[in-house]
Amino acid sequence: MLWGNSREGDEFFWSVLGDDPDRWHVTISSRNSAWWHYEGGMVQFLAELCEGTVEPWALPVVRPELTGWGVAGGGWHRTV
């Protein structure tokens, strides 16, 4: 079940195994046609991907300091 994608063409899925969503793991399909499984949930995967503590395999490196968004004066702007 698809739950997200990246601007580069990577897709993120739930590995739906059973009826308990707390036990669903993440499956990644990279833009390079590589598939891999992360043995944890979505929030943990995204946190470790941003921290750089998970092996990104074929995913691009995440640089949160360059890709964040914030609110200034009531409007959205990209933080650099």
Side-chain angles (χ1 to χ4, degrees), residues 10-80:
D10 309 296
E11 295 182 317
F12 307 95
F13 300 88
W14 292 115
S15 295
V16 180
L17 303 172
D19 295 331
D20 184 1
D22 290 334
R23 299 184 57 95
W24 296 352
H25 294 171
V26 174
T27 298
I28 298 95
S29 170
S30 77
R31 66 196 176 287
N32 299 323
S33 299
W35 286 77
W36 55 286
H37 300 281
Y38 174 79
E39 296 296 320
M42 176 184 66
V43 173
Q44 183 180 350
F45 168 74
L46 293 174
E48 290 183 11
L49 185 63
C50 290
E51 291 173 347
T53 56
V54 66
E55 175 63 45
W57 294 85
L59 296 175
V61 175
V62 175
R63 297 184 60 193
E65 70 278 2
L66 298 178
T67 58
W69 291 85
V71 177
W76 288 97
H77 73 283
R78 187 177 181 112
T79 59
V80 182

